[in-house]
Amino acid sequence: HGILSPPPTAAPSAVPTPVPTPPPSLSPTLTSAPTTHEYEDNLVAYYPMTRGKLDDAHASGFHGKAKKPEYPESDIMVAADLRQTDARDGPEGAAVALNKSFYEYIELPDNVTRSISGDRPRTVCLWARIDKWKNARIFEYGRKAPQGELFGLRTWNVPGEFAVEVPWNVRNHWDNRNVNLSTNVSITQAPTPSPTTPQPTLEPGMSRRLDATGETTAAPTPQSPWVETWHHYCVTYAAEPHPKEKDRYLPGNVTLYVDGRKEGFWKNATVNTSLGSPLYIGADIHGSKTLDGAVDEVYVYDKALEAWQVEVLHGILSPPPTAAPSAVPTPVPTPPPSLSPTLTSAPTTHEYEDNLVAYY
């Protein structure tokens, strides 16, 4: 159309002069150059769980703490020693295990939530492996109604069922946004048995033994793909600044992403999360409703990431982000166009003369 070559004319076209493509710019105009973390401009904190530690790898240094009750049913929380476990990228990575038997969880300081509380936009992303599904929290912060409002992501007893914790209407009525993904992941069907002699009618859930004993056994229940497997979770809140009131925002959209895909979307949510709360990972704000599994790669932003940015964090468009600094891309000029096309003849009166039928 004219981007790669001039529009064809009736006059003979000259042989194109090779013009190397300029190298990529080293100084992006909208965001800073690639640094330690993806999208550093709006990053509040980042926890790669390297060697099982809860250090904030971002410049802010908002390091986390591991907590657990002093004893079961106790309201006194003490320090916990979390175990390092294999990450979502295999034994080469590092993640933090949360043991339900000891009610362990992670507490990130309230400095992390300061810029993502109230009605401000935000994003919380992390990888989680859930070993036992129940009423638990993937993350949560704020205060519980009627004293305040919460923001978080919880699980239910059925694998693949979630609830995003947001207030919904102008009267601040508490309402969780439920998402059921229990049937959204395909389960490999059991292999079809080879044909044999006619078998007696079996009760539902029973299968015939193949050792000729004639006895029947209960068919094993296939494990849900949500149990003991790593998945990536992101919750974003996109709010536009109020046109008249300073540092206030209009109601915005809440989005839940699971494994890089938008799985829940709620328009015009009124969010006003209470200030002064730590960010709890794997527990509610009281240190209860703890998660049984593991967590890795926690990202907190003071903006709502777009869908393609969530995909990058999930690893679809690039390898999973690491704590190692990313090198600035090396400019590689595009090679000049060939002067002697091998498949078609040299340019003549019209472009692509070899297969041209008519030209007006």
Side-chain angles (χ1 to χ4, degrees):
H1 178 253
I3 296 175
L4 301 180
S5 65
T9 63
S13 302
V15 176
T17 302
V19 179
T21 302
S25 171
L26 299 182
S27 303
T29 56
L30 299 180
T31 59
S32 55
T35 55
T36 311
H37 318 288
E38 298 286 344
Y39 323 119
E40 184 128 355
D41 293 304
N42 295 94
L43 185 64
V44 177
Y46 166 52
Y47 303 88
M49 309 300 180
T50 305
R51 295 184 295 277
K53 303 295 183 181
L54 304 179
D55 295 341
D56 177 14
H58 188 43
S60 53
F62 298 148
H63 305 315
K65 297 179 180 179
K67 296 285 190 74
K68 67 176 182 178
E70 186 175 24
Y71 54 87
E73 308 300 329
S74 173
D75 293 330
I76 301 174
M77 301 298 165
V78 298
D81 294 323
L82 299 184
R83 178 177 58 87
Q84 179 179 335
T85 186
D86 291 349
R88 83 266 183 258
D89 49 354
E92 298 300 321
V96 170
L98 301 176
N99 191 327
K100 181 66 170 65
S101 301
F102 299 105
Y103 304 97
E104 298 170 340
Y105 63 93
I106 298 169
E107 182 182 300
L108 306 180
D110 54 9
N111 287 333
V112 175
T113 64
R114 187 169 299 163
S115 61
I116 59 170
S117 293
D119 55 0
R120 298 180 183 92
R122 67 203 68 173
T123 296
V124 179
C125 292
L126 75 163
W127 286 85
R129 190 195 74 221
I130 303 174
D131 298 341
K132 294 181 181 178
W133 283 73
K134 55 185 61 184
N135 182 3
R137 305 294 187 272
I138 295 178
F139 75 88
E140 184 178 274
Y141 66 99
R143 289 194 179 93
K144 193 172 183 179
Q147 289 79 18
E149 296 179 5
L150 296 171
F151 190 83
L153 180 62
R154 68 165 64 183
T155 62
W156 296 114
N157 295 339
V158 177
E161 287 193 3
F162 308 90
V164 178
E165 298 176 323
V166 290
W168 188 244
N169 60 35
V170 294
R171 294 178 297 174
N172 293 331
H173 173 68
W174 183 255
D175 192 6
N176 292 324
R177 305 287 93 193
N178 293 314
V179 177
N180 185 353
L181 304 180
S182 59
T183 60
N184 280 20
V185 176
S186 62
I187 300 176
T188 303
Q189 299 296 324
T192 303
S194 58
T196 58
T197 55
Q199 301 198 17
T201 302
L202 304 177
E203 296 295 329
M206 307 296 286
S207 63
R208 182 174 175 82
R209 289 173 60 112
L210 301 181
D211 57 3
T213 63
E215 298 179 7
T216 58
T217 58
T221 302
Q223 178 169 295
S224 167
W226 293 99
V227 177
E228 298 181 354
T229 55
W230 284 99
H231 293 279
H232 188 251
Y233 304 99
C234 273
V235 181
T236 69
Y237 175 57
E240 296 296 329
H242 198 286
K244 297 181 179 180
E245 299 183 30
K246 185 179 179 181
D247 199 29
R248 291 298 305 275
Y249 293 83
L250 299 172
N253 301 330
V254 174
T255 307
L256 168 65
Y257 296 91
V258 180
D259 293 336
R261 291 172 40 182
K262 182 189 293 185
E263 298 289 3
F265 179 76
W266 303 276
K267 296 179 63 176
N268 299 325
T270 303
V271 172
N272 191 15
T273 313
S274 302
L275 289 164
S277 166
L279 175 58
Y280 294 85
I281 305 294
D284 66 6
I285 60 172
H286 302 297
S288 59
K289 306 299 182 185
T290 52
L291 191 73
D292 191 357
V295 295
D296 193 12
E297 299 285 343
V298 180
Y299 280 85
V300 180
Y301 295 89
D302 60 6
K303 65 165 284 186
L305 294 186
E306 298 179 20
W308 69 268
Q309 294 173 318
V310 173
E311 288 179 346
V312 171
L313 290 185
H314 174 243
I316 295 177
L317 302 180
S318 68
T322 65
S326 302
V328 176
T330 303
V332 180
T334 302
S338 172
L339 300 182
S340 302
T342 55
L343 299 179
T344 60
S345 57
T348 55
T349 308
H350 316 290
E351 296 289 339
Y352 322 121
E353 180 115 352
D354 290 306
N355 298 95
L356 186 64
V357 175
Y359 167 54
Y360 305 91

